[in-house]
Amino acid sequence: MGLMKELDTGTPIRVAAQTVTLTIDGQSVSVPAGTSVMAAAMTMGTKIPKLCATDMLEPFGSCRLCLVEIEGRRGTPASCTTPSEDGMVVHTHTPKLAKLRKGVMELYISDHPLDCLTCASNGDCELQDMAGAVGLREVRYGEGENHVAPASDRFLPKDTSNPYFTYDPSKCIVCNRCVRACEEVQGTFALTIEGRGFDSRVSPGGTDFFGSECVSCGACVQACPTATLVENTVIEKGQPERAVVTTCAYCGVGCSFRAEMQGDTLVRMVPSKGGKANEGHSCVKGRFAWGYATHKDRITRPMVRDRITDPWREVSWQEALGRAASEFRRIQAQYGKDAIGGITSSRCTNEETYLVQKLIRAGFGNNNVDTCARVCHSPTGYGLKTTFGTSAGTQDFKSVAKADVVLVIGANPTDGHPVFASRLKKRLRQGAKLIVADPRRIDLVKGPHVRAEHHLQLVPGTNVALMNAIAHVIVTEGLVDERYVRERCDLGDFESWARFVAEDRHSPEATEAVTGVPAAEVRAAARLYATGGNGAIYYGLGVTEHSQGSTMVMAMANLAMATGNIGREGVGVNPLRGQNNVQGSCDMGSFPHELPGYRHVSDDATRESFEALWGVTLSSDPGMRIPNMLDEAVAGTFKGIYIQGEDIVQSDPDTQHVVAGLEAMECVVIQDIFLNETAKYAHVFLPGSSFLEKDGTFTNAERRINRVRKVMAPLGGMADWEVTIAFAEALGVPMHYGHPSEIMDEIAALTPSFAGVSYALLEEKGSVQWPCNAAAPEGTPIMHVDRFVRGKGKFMITEFVATEERTGPRFPLILTTGRILSQYNVGAQTRRTANSRWHEEDVLEIHPFDAEQRGIVEGDLVSVASRSGDIALHAVISERMQPGVVYTTFHHAKSGANVITTEFSDWATNCPEYKVTAVQVRRTNRPSDWQLRFEQEDEALRRIGPALDAAE
Amino acid sequence: MDTAKLARMGNQIAAFFRSYPEEQAVASIRDHVRQFWTPKMRETARAACERGEGGFDPLVVRALVERERV
């Protein structure tokens, strides 16, 4: 595939019911009403010269290059700002226009460096293209006032403060595209035009880029028509020569990117406009933080060791796989079939995840398979399946553009799901109302041109009480959408629920003491959600990672059903899922009780269909969840585990318990791209492959199945799916697949909701959202449209049960954990990129009141202790917190945030209660004992010995 | 797994279903445990319930010990 550039129609093609027909250069063309003359011309292949226009942005009309003549109109209007009209007759090229354009270009070039041959954008510069297009042959203006000559008073040096791109003011033509991209696409408003007249220039708010509000999403770099803003990798390597469309491997938004390549070297990642999840936008992680994929820390040779204190020994694939297989068989012979299990990876593809669970069910002969959704959205699966009938969100991301009231609960989209946040902010700027329920004052509460109508700043752990209070208002004030409920939901369950929430004890006034949210605010928010038009709920781990995570998911589902907010665009209950393929790993049967497609292992018909194809008998009993496996390991009955691409030592709660479990096992097999924290306790290491090194699919939070395409060979020699096949082979369970597409064919054959999915369809459509089958051949953007998947929507009674984790004299504060924009989860990827410059360590955010009481000032090293353990972090004083609540992130292994989290978990799914830990904070002058031990072991347990040659 | 942990898990499940009429709650708890717990966990918990040990919620005891009505 060559470097096919994406079509740029200059201004957006509007969506309209009506079309208008006009004549451009003698040809008739029809476009949706509201579409500009420029875009209309582009639809017939006519490129009107332009500089300030690009179809990611609204028309601006400043460059004066896209002028056209329209019969019957005076002058030469700009085609970008002129809407097409019926009967219009347009001429795009006339001698008059040519002269005007050449004159304009001459002025531009008179204040632009003529260093094209050595310029980073040589070959990819719209200014260069336009100079060519208008036939500019000379610039008649001599030396004068300019921004180009270093001696000029107006000259500004390059700004190289951002690690990923460079700003060269001398090349700026002040087209405003970057400023508008920052506003319209990203919604950060970090850029502006400083100065007036000839002095005007782009500025990140008067400071340098790194020190500014810029979030490095890359939208400005993408929008820049010249080399003013350009990727450092392009400066370094030159222009790419081919592009492959693939899917980002960071969060659950699942952005489509063009991986732009020189041979098998990645030059840059540019968001693809054709990607339906992101429509041409990106964030700092997907756009820039991909250097980890070829980082020197990548482990590319298989390794084994007898004891975790031994140094690793590099061996052949055959030896490593043989060791893992013989150990697993030995363990099963010695301790029983159930003594081994595995963890699938939400970082890997659907096909890879499917193979791991197949290996476990068919090869290990048990259902001891789990995945990281255990610790994030397992309550979503349980709660939405119980109430609606499917374990997934109800909408596509685009739906938010039709929402009137958005309720964001326990999510911080600007940091965790930035590209979705940009869509959301765009809708909010158009006038949709926002309600935020979060213990912290997240950025969405008040930002540029975005303000939450209501911030329900609740005490962590009281979600369900708050939700019941909102439901109380809706039921007792007669705001229920009765017709919807009567037609779509189970009435008996609705009535029991309505009676329950109507009880006085659930009123906002009665629950205020528990939740800490003023009753009047709750009432107003409830009225707004119920009566403000399309109400959409978006939520994150602040909902699920509680002892009542599943209850809370059902409480939100109740609310959406009661107000008729399910089953059309602009509404819904939408989990913002964490990992790139966590939705997919759940879909693919990664839970110990479910086969692919969320069908229980005890369902005979389902099991028989798998048994028939796989040629084995499958267990009908649920297997162990991750915490069960660890408990059984500590108890001495679980002895071996195969972990593909997951780092439970860093990500799972109560680190010391996780480590104790792993230390008690006899064979821990890790497949990963790095020697991660969990690998410190492993005996066999199998090199993993990055998303750039394999074919496959990821499924994002909107159930969208997107292609992942290989752009370079696996550094370790095998892609992850090939490693699993080889491991299966070594275990005597042969699997025959020549390409991941064949694995998808098997998934489709066995899973009704995937029946229509094939690589051919994905090639044709770009992506599809499951269910995709005979009933929905092109997939399903919005779920539960005419009826709920389970038939009638089911209201569940959601009694508030306070967590057992209580604050008291010893641990008076509540710690809650979360993420920040620049780092991703355990940081294995982002810490190996320049993203760490924004976040070099995890810090403790604490309210000034709590800080003062403890004599803590900004930057102090403080000890954070819970009944599980203690760590030391630097303090940041922040009024984003409420008094009594402290916050940290868990991106750095050395901080050990999960040393202090507890073993409490969700009642239905055992999703850990990361969001509520009772702690004490005090000043300290040393790292904690755990942190000191970590530093020693970090080296001791990661040693790689010299390779032995075969003769020894 | 130790009985105390199973009891805590069982009692958490009971705390959710307690809002429903008792027979429904018992059936739902039984169904939940059957869907999500391994046979060994169910057996360990049932044995403890039968011995009256572990501090299981009465609803859990009923769900685990009583035979399902046909």
Side-chain angles (χ1 to χ4, degrees):
Chain A
M1 195 189 289
L3 189 75
M4 288 284 292
K5 294 229 171 136
E6 287 187 317
L7 177 76
D8 183 354
T9 56
T11 69
I13 305 277
R14 302 297 180 191
V15 180
Q18 269 190 322
T19 58
V20 294
T21 302
L22 65 165
T23 304
I24 300 178
D25 298 336
Q27 274 191 60
S28 173
V29 59
S30 298
V31 290
T35 301
S36 71
V37 170
M38 173 184 280
M42 199 61 189
T43 63
M44 48 179 255
T46 298
K47 291 182 193 164
I48 300 174
K50 63 179 181 61
L51 280 170
C52 74
T54 178
D55 59 10
M56 288 288 289
L57 305 172
E58 288 300 308
F60 195 58
S62 84
C63 75
R64 312 317 290 169
L65 212 57
C66 71
L67 310 178
V68 290
E69 289 191 80
I70 299 172
E71 287 181 16
R73 292 207 189 176
R74 285 188 297 123
T76 50
S79 62
C80 64
T81 51
T82 306
S84 301
E85 285 171 23
D86 263 326
M88 215 176 220
V89 179
V90 180
H91 301 282
T92 69
H93 283 275
T94 66
K96 181 181 173 187
L97 292 172
K99 193 161 171 250
L100 283 169
R101 287 180 188 146
K102 203 181 276 191
V104 170
M105 274 312 294
E106 195 176 354
L107 282 165
Y108 275 118
I109 300 301
S110 72
D111 189 24
H112 193 85
L114 299 174
D115 62 350
C116 290
L117 286 180
T118 53
C119 175
S121 291
N122 188 8
D124 184 29
C125 173
E126 294 182 36
L127 191 67
Q128 198 178 45
D129 294 346
M130 289 307 113
V134 305
L136 185 69
R137 296 293 170 258
E138 62 170 338
V139 176
R140 292 164 295 169
Y141 308 100
E143 286 272 312
E145 286 259 35
N146 68 76
H147 301 87
V148 176
S152 161
D153 288 346
R154 299 179 191 272
F155 178 83
L156 284 178
K158 288 179 187 172
D159 175 353
T160 55
S161 63
N162 188 293
Y164 296 121
F165 59 85
T166 294
Y167 168 44
D168 182 351
S170 73
K171 295 196 168 153
C172 180
I173 58 169
V174 203
C175 65
N176 275 265
R177 273 162 66 162
C178 55
V179 178
R180 286 145 61 210
C182 193
E183 294 178 5
E184 295 175 26
V185 180
Q186 166 56 28
T188 292
F189 294 76
L191 301 183
T192 187
I193 300 293
E194 212 176 50
R196 314 187 66 163
F198 195 56
D199 241 355
S200 310
R201 63 179 85 235
V202 170
S203 163
T207 171
D208 65 5
F209 267 86
F210 192 75
S212 75
E213 312 242 291
C214 167
V215 292
S216 299
C217 69
C220 57
V221 180
Q222 199 178 337
C224 181
T226 70
T228 309
L229 288 161
V230 65
E231 297 91 348
N232 289 346
T233 51
V234 171
I235 296 176
E236 188 188 313
K237 294 175 177 156
Q239 292 295 325
E241 45 86 19
R242 70 186 175 109
V244 180
V245 175
T246 191
T247 304
C248 178
Y250 277 110
C251 79
V253 175
C255 296
S256 295
F257 276 89
R258 289 156 55 84
E260 299 195 350
M261 313 290 299
Q262 289 172 338
D264 63 355
T265 301
L266 182 55
V267 176
R268 65 176 171 186
M269 294 283 274
V270 184
S272 166
K273 288 196 285 193
K276 296 202 179 76
N278 57 318
E279 298 184 302
H281 190 37
S282 60
C283 81
V284 60
K285 296 185 282 273
R287 178 83 154 92
F288 295 118
W290 40 264
Y292 71 87
T294 49
H295 194 274
K296 63 176 171 51
D297 288 352
R298 281 285 301 270
I299 305 286
T300 57
R301 295 190 59 184
M303 303 188 296
V304 298
R305 59 182 176 184
D306 294 330
R307 286 175 303 272
I308 62 166
T309 48
D310 292 345
W312 283 105
R313 191 162 59 84
E314 291 184 346
V315 297
S316 66
W317 276 105
Q318 198 186 0
E319 185 177 345
L321 291 164
R323 165 76 76 93
S326 66
E327 276 296 280
F328 275 20
R329 287 307 185 213
R330 177 189 64 77
I331 289 168
Q332 284 193 305
Q334 196 173 337
Y335 301 99
K337 194 174 67 176
D338 294 332
I340 60 172
I343 300 178
T344 73
S345 177
S346 296
R347 316 294 293 146
C348 285
T349 64
N350 283 314
E351 293 75 5
E352 288 162 343
T353 305
Y354 175 85
L355 286 193
V356 172
Q357 63 90 33
K358 176 176 176 176
L359 172 69
I360 291 163
R361 298 189 202 282
F364 296 1
N366 60 42
N367 287 317
N368 293 337
V369 53
D370 209 352
T371 192
C372 79
R374 178 64 54 216
V375 300
C376 64
H377 271 290
S378 49
T380 292
Y382 179 88
L384 296 186
K385 188 164 188 177
T386 305
T387 48
F388 299 159
T390 34
S391 299
T394 60
Q395 312 296 114
D396 56 2
F397 288 137
K398 203 171 136 203
S399 157
V400 76
K402 297 276 173 67
D404 300 310
V405 179
V406 178
L407 177 49
V408 174
I409 311 178
N412 186 10
T414 53
D415 284 39
H417 302 85
V419 172
F420 169 73
S422 290
R423 280 184 189 267
L424 169 60
K425 287 191 288 186
K426 187 173 197 169
R427 181 61 186 155
L428 295 173
R429 290 195 302 274
Q430 290 166 351
K433 300 279 191 284
L434 174 67
I435 303 165
V436 172
D438 202 290
R440 285 196 312 150
R441 199 184 64 219
I442 59 172
D443 287 352
L444 271 182
V445 172
K446 194 168 183 301
H449 301 273
V450 166
R451 191 177 57 85
E453 231 39 50
H454 305 286
H455 177 204
L456 312 176
Q457 195 166 16
L458 73 175
V459 174
T462 62
N463 286 342
V464 173
L466 176 68
M467 212 40 49
N468 286 344
I470 292 176
H472 176 90
V473 176
I474 288 170
V475 168
T476 57
E477 296 191 5
L479 307 178
V480 170
D481 184 341
E482 285 175 14
R483 196 172 135 200
Y484 182 92
V485 170
R486 214 174 311 119
E487 282 172 9
R488 301 287 305 273
C489 303
D490 184 297
L491 275 185
D493 287 325
F494 168 74
E495 280 160 15
S496 316
W497 172 79
R499 265 198 307 279
F500 163 79
V501 294
E503 290 172 29
D504 275 344
R505 65 197 178 93
H506 298 305
S507 72
E509 292 71 20
T511 50
E512 185 174 327
V514 177
T515 63
V517 186
E521 199 77 4
V522 177
R523 285 197 180 268
R527 288 170 194 147
L528 177 61
Y529 173 73
T531 63
N534 285 338
I537 298 175
Y538 291 87
Y539 70 96
L541 304 180
V543 159
T544 55
E545 288 175 349
H546 287 279
S547 61
Q548 280 204 291
S550 293
T551 313
M552 178 62 180
V553 172
M554 293 187 276
M556 296 184 308
N558 290 338
L559 209 59
M561 290 190 288
T563 52
N565 277 316
I566 293 286
R568 61 178 189 280
E569 272 195 293
V571 299
V573 177
N574 305 282
L576 295 171
R577 304 203 62 154
Q579 310 270 12
N580 54 322
N581 197 38
V582 66
Q583 180 68 53
S585 71
C586 297
D587 302 342
M588 292 298 106
S590 293
F591 286 135
H593 64 283
E594 276 170 347
L595 286 158
Y598 303 100
R599 290 164 297 163
H600 201 271
V601 291
S602 65
D603 180 60
D604 293 339
T606 304
R607 219 174 49 253
E608 280 161 16
S609 69
F610 283 88
E611 287 174 340
L613 197 73
W614 293 353
V616 290
T617 305
L618 297 175
S619 166
S620 60
D621 287 316
M624 284 184 243
R625 297 168 172 177
I626 296 171
N628 305 144
M629 295 185 212
L630 294 168
D631 288 339
E632 291 291 337
V634 172
T637 55
F638 186 84
K639 293 290 186 183
I641 192 164
Y642 170 41
I643 303 179
Q644 182 176 74
E646 181 157 351
D647 195 1
I648 55 171
V649 169
Q650 194 180 340
S651 65
D652 284 30
D654 199 355
T655 308
Q656 302 184 74
H657 180 67
V658 177
V659 166
L662 289 167
E663 281 178 337
M665 294 185 202
E666 294 179 6
C667 185
V668 174
V669 180
I670 299 289
Q671 183 174 332
D672 206 282
I673 59 176
F674 296 116
L675 212 46
N676 61 18
E677 295 308 306
T678 310
K680 287 180 184 169
Y681 306 93
H683 307 90
V684 178
F685 187 93
L686 306 172
S689 47
S690 84
F691 73 116
L692 299 169
E693 296 159 28
K694 57 200 182 187
D695 282 300
T697 56
F698 291 154
T699 305
N700 74 357
E702 31 163 27
R703 295 169 278 103
R704 185 181 301 286
I705 307 163
N706 260 318
R707 269 302 305 276
V708 177
R709 292 185 176 88
K710 179 175 168 177
V711 296
M712 59 180 75
L715 301 192
M718 279 199 273
D720 289 304
W721 59 277
E722 294 172 298
V723 175
T724 303
I725 291 173
F727 185 29
E729 192 91 21
L731 279 160
V733 192
M735 295 182 181
H736 306 288
Y737 307 98
H739 188 269
S741 64
E742 295 167 20
I743 306 171
M744 182 53 86
D745 292 341
E746 180 173 317
I747 295 164
L750 289 168
T751 314
S753 51
F754 277 68
V757 180
S758 69
Y759 277 36
L761 183 75
L762 294 173
E763 213 58 55
E764 183 194 327
K765 303 275 174 210
S767 63
V768 288
Q769 290 169 273
W770 67 259
C772 174
N773 46 31
E778 299 197 356
T780 312
I782 311 277
M783 299 217 45
H784 318 293
V785 173
D786 299 315
R787 59 190 284 281
F788 283 96
V789 170
R790 72 178 300 281
K792 294 282 188 187
K794 186 174 174 65
F795 282 84
M796 294 296 292
I797 297 181
T798 53
E799 184 71 70
F800 170 62
V801 181
T803 169
E804 290 175 58
E805 179 74 3
R806 301 285 161 82
T807 53
R810 276 184 67 207
F811 303 113
L813 302 172
I814 299 176
L815 170 78
T816 182
T817 62
R819 305 176 190 185
I820 57 139
L821 172 67
S822 56
Q823 297 285 3
Y824 187 76
N825 267 23
V826 297
Q829 297 155 292
T830 46
R831 278 188 280 118
R832 291 181 171 93
T833 69
N835 275 31
S836 283
R837 286 195 41 204
W838 283 277
H839 184 85
E840 283 166 0
E841 61 175 282
D842 296 315
V843 295
L844 187 81
E845 282 186 42
I846 184 169
H847 188 272
F849 176 78
D850 294 323
E852 195 185 338
Q853 269 198 330
R854 291 165 174 77
I856 294 167
V857 297
E858 180 91 9
D860 273 356
L861 190 65
V862 294
S863 142
V864 188
S866 75
R867 59 186 172 77
S868 288
D870 70 299
I871 58 172
L873 300 169
H874 287 104
V876 168
I877 315 290
S878 163
E879 289 194 26
R880 287 153 60 97
M881 308 310 302
Q882 50 183 301
V885 181
V886 294
Y887 170 86
T888 189
T889 49
F890 57 96
H891 301 305
H892 293 268
K894 62 174 192 268
S895 344
N898 281 320
V899 171
I900 44 181
T901 53
T902 69
E903 77 284 13
F904 286 143
S905 66
D906 172 49
W907 66 269
T909 67
N910 289 130
C911 179
E913 188 162 55
Y914 289 116
K915 301 298 184 187
V916 185
T917 308
V919 295
Q920 177 58 295
V921 175
R922 56 177 179 74
R923 290 181 61 189
T924 184
N925 55 10
R926 61 187 286 273
S928 78
D929 291 345
W930 182 90
Q931 286 168 320
L932 289 171
R933 200 167 61 241
F934 173 88
E935 267 173 41
Q936 290 161 5
E937 291 184 349
D938 204 34
E939 203 150 303
L941 300 182
R942 277 197 226 254
R943 283 177 302 149
I944 299 177
L948 301 178
D949 65 52
E952 283 186 82
Chain B
M1 274 175 75
D2 63 24
T3 312
K5 211 163 213 174
L6 289 171
R8 189 164 75 213
M9 286 170 67
N11 295 352
Q12 268 188 295
I13 296 166
F16 178 80
F17 288 110
R18 198 186 315 286
S19 315
Y20 288 88
E22 184 165 338
E23 292 311 308
Q24 201 181 337
V26 169
S28 300
I29 295 166
R30 182 182 295 132
D31 181 55
H32 189 94
V33 167
R34 191 170 296 156
Q35 273 198 54
F36 299 108
W37 287 21
T38 63
K40 189 174 160 193
M41 288 162 69
R42 296 198 299 255
E43 194 42 48
T44 310
R46 194 184 58 78
C49 286
E50 278 180 346
R51 291 194 304 270
E53 291 171 2
F56 283 88
D57 188 292
L59 287 172
V60 182
V61 175
R62 277 197 62 196
L64 292 175
V65 174
E66 279 178 21
R67 295 188 62 184
E68 219 171 335
R69 295 198 187 111
V70 186

